[in-house]
Amino acid sequence: MPPIGIHDIAFATTHYVLDLDELARYRRVDPAKYHLGLGQDTMSFPAVDEDIVTMAATAAAPILQRHGSDKLRTLLLATETGVDQSKAAALYLHPLLDLPSTTRIVELKQACYSGTAALQFAAGLISRDPTEQVLIIATDIARYDLDSPGEPTQGAAAVAMLVTAEPAMLQLDSPSGVYSDDVMDFWRPNHRTTALVDGKLSISTYLDATSRAWTDYRARGGRGLDDFRAFCYHLPYTAMARKAHDNLLRTVGVEWEPERVTAAIEDSTRYNRLVGNSYTASLYLGFISLLDHAPDLTGQPVAFFSYGSGCVCECFSGTVQPGYRQHLRTADNKERIAARTPISYFRYRAMHSDRARYPSNLTFDQDTGGPYRLTEIIDNKRTYQKV
Ligand code: CAA
């Protein structure tokens, strides 16, 4: 069987950005709690005419421009911010991205984990027919109630990945460790637009699940800790990576100097520190951040920990491919984050509340500076447009 993995990867985020200094000022919180305690500086926030579909289209467009869609047979969209209980959000991408009608399309859900389920399913499809390509899009808007502890850990992004045989960026290894259990640490019932969370339980469950997934990964013949050049964790906020890595070291029973821990995790946290949580996209945004910031990773194994509350956790690994740097979009990626428009605290609050009250008929003025927008919801039918 040929090697299978990530051939190309790109991301999109929102038009607006909220500075967490501003949030701290109005919430009368020491800004150091956000910058040091949580490891977050700013968070992406969507314009009124942006949602998971517009971000998904923006993330996927450069991949389709580069590779075409001739070999595309499957599109898997992972999200926990679905816009419909029945129709897969990826179907709205047909006219926006000119997708072939011979594409199998489905939406996957299991909190922040489902992008990784998509990756494993894609690898299975390609091992059956290595001429086929699978596009995965993980796209989410992380939203908690205003004034809740979760508020500073909001954010939004989409990551698109083309999964193929003979991949140019990351070859996936075959062993994978998984752990699942029924836990009420974070959830969003159908009637709510914001998530409910038991913050402390969510942290302890995340840590327990990652160490159990690691144990399963090792039992199935996975690599040892010292084999890895870098570790990518699901990042609800970036300080979680250090908590998770320290916990992993305790699980394995070894001690690393703090500098070694920093070297293993920090490059994967740089974009997330500015974008905030992006649920399903977060782990893979961390991987893009690693590729864009780390010194040459050619031939280096990378460990991934994908956690979705509720909960499922998977530990897997891959090897960075020779020549991967020629395919990066580092300058564009940095520019995309830097180009977001600052939003005032009061406009952010007003827009946050409005999102919870969308009626079944609404036309949206153009607000985003991005390439795709939601134009109207008429008779409960959403219409999108390429700007
Ligand atoms: N200077 C420096 N650090 C400070 C500080 C200051 N002035 N004030 C507080 N801190 C530190 C605290 O010591 C704490 O550090 P430790 O975690 O190392 O103890 C950190 O800042 C956070 O402070 P609190 O624990 O007091 O924060 P909180 O109770 O207000 O909320 C939270 C933190 C529970 C993470 C909350 O933001 C939340 O509920 N977030 C959403 C849920 C979440 O992200 N859970 C993570 C695991 S679940 C998951 O991963 C799935 C997912 O995507 C949601």
Side-chain angles (χ1 to χ4, degrees):
M1 198 197 308
I4 294 170
I6 299 174
H7 190 55
D8 198 2
I9 186 164
F11 80 91
T13 186
T14 58
H15 178 67
Y16 289 117
V17 58
L18 181 69
D19 192 331
L20 290 195
D21 279 341
E22 186 146 345
L23 186 65
R25 184 161 66 250
Y26 285 104
R27 288 189 58 157
R28 298 178 196 284
V29 170
D30 180 353
K33 173 172 176 177
Y34 298 163
H35 297 303
L36 301 175
L38 296 177
Q40 294 302 131
D41 295 339
T42 58
M43 67 189 192
S44 289
F45 189 76
V48 292
D49 49 352
E50 288 179 322
D51 65 9
I52 57 156
V53 175
T54 62
M55 288 195 301
T58 309
I63 290 184
L64 294 175
Q65 275 154 20
R66 188 182 274 179
H67 305 279
S69 55
D70 296 355
K71 297 179 187 157
L72 191 66
R73 287 291 289 170
T74 305
L75 168 46
L76 304 172
L77 187 141
T79 189
E80 54 182 302
T81 326
V83 294
D84 194 286
Q85 290 283 22
S86 173
K87 176 170 173 158
L91 287 163
Y92 293 107
L93 299 175
H94 254 290
L96 299 179
L97 297 177
D98 201 15
L99 293 175
S101 55
T102 50
T103 313
R104 174 190 296 121
I105 289 181
V106 72
E107 184 171 313
L108 303 175
K109 178 179 72 182
Q110 182 3 66
C112 307
Y113 164 73
S114 60
T116 300
L119 189 57
Q120 298 297 358
F121 298 163
L125 286 168
I126 294 161
S127 68
R128 202 172 62 173
D129 182 351
T131 65
E132 293 190 4
Q133 300 188 336
V134 179
L135 182 63
I136 294 173
I137 309 176
T139 176
D140 266 308
I141 298 169
R143 292 182 73 240
Y144 299 93
D145 284 343
L146 292 171
D147 307 317
S148 70
E151 188 182 17
T153 66
Q154 298 174 116
V159 170
M161 300 182 269
L162 189 65
V163 183
T164 67
E166 309 290 353
M169 289 199 171
L170 185 85
Q171 176 182 331
L172 291 170
D173 299 333
S174 60
S176 182
V178 287
Y179 173 76
S180 66
D181 193 10
D182 177 9
V183 187
M184 293 303 285
D185 61 331
F186 168 107
W187 67 107
R188 184 167 70 82
N190 288 341
H191 62 277
R192 289 185 61 98
T193 56
T194 51
L196 296 169
V197 63
D198 181 335
K200 302 300 175 204
L201 177 65
S202 73
I203 295 169
S204 60
T205 308
Y206 175 121
L207 296 178
D208 183 49
T210 47
S211 64
R212 287 172 183 262
W214 169 262
T215 303
D216 186 47
Y217 169 77
R218 288 288 288 149
R220 287 168 181 274
R223 299 171 191 272
L225 209 59
D226 287 335
D227 295 341
F228 291 109
R229 160 66 183 79
F231 293 77
C232 292
Y233 288 94
H234 167 57
L235 296 172
Y237 51 95
T238 67
M240 197 70 213
R242 188 168 288 269
K243 271 191 207 301
H245 202 70
D246 287 346
N247 185 62
L248 184 64
L249 296 177
R250 279 193 296 277
T251 302
V252 175
V254 295
E255 283 188 26
W256 283 12
E257 296 294 319
E259 298 74 29
R260 187 172 172 198
V261 176
T262 301
I265 60 175
E266 196 170 38
D267 284 330
S268 72
T269 65
R270 295 183 196 278
Y271 288 156
N272 303 60
R273 177 177 267 278
L274 302 171
V275 165
N277 195 356
S278 55
Y279 292 161
T280 52
S282 148
L283 173 68
Y284 299 99
L285 182 63
F287 179 51
I288 298 175
S289 179
L290 173 71
L291 296 177
D292 281 353
H293 293 96
D296 191 4
L297 291 166
T298 302
Q300 300 287 332
V302 176
F304 296 83
F305 289 85
S306 179
Y307 176 72
S309 290
C311 72
V312 178
C313 187
E314 181 156 347
C315 167
F316 63 100
S317 61
T319 304
V320 179
Q321 295 301 285
Y324 77 97
R325 284 182 140 178
Q326 296 158 30
H327 308 290
L328 299 181
R329 299 179 174 82
T330 308
D332 287 353
N333 292 343
K334 291 182 178 174
E335 169 59 21
R336 183 165 311 117
I337 290 175
R340 291 169 300 168
T341 300
I343 190 170
S344 74
Y345 174 72
F346 293 106
R347 176 115 200 267
Y348 148 76
R349 271 189 87 92
M351 285 170 66
H352 192 289
S353 304
D354 279 353
R355 284 227 161 216
R357 293 196 293 264
Y358 277 177
S360 55
N361 284 300
L362 197 60
T363 301
F364 297 95
D365 291 335
Q366 183 160 355
D367 191 19
T368 179
Y372 300 94
R373 60 182 296 265
L374 173 64
T375 53
E376 59 184 24
I377 304 174
I378 301 292
D379 294 336
N380 286 301
K381 295 175 186 165
R382 302 170 90 86
T383 305
Y384 294 89
Q385 183 187 67
K386 190 169 185 339
V387 177

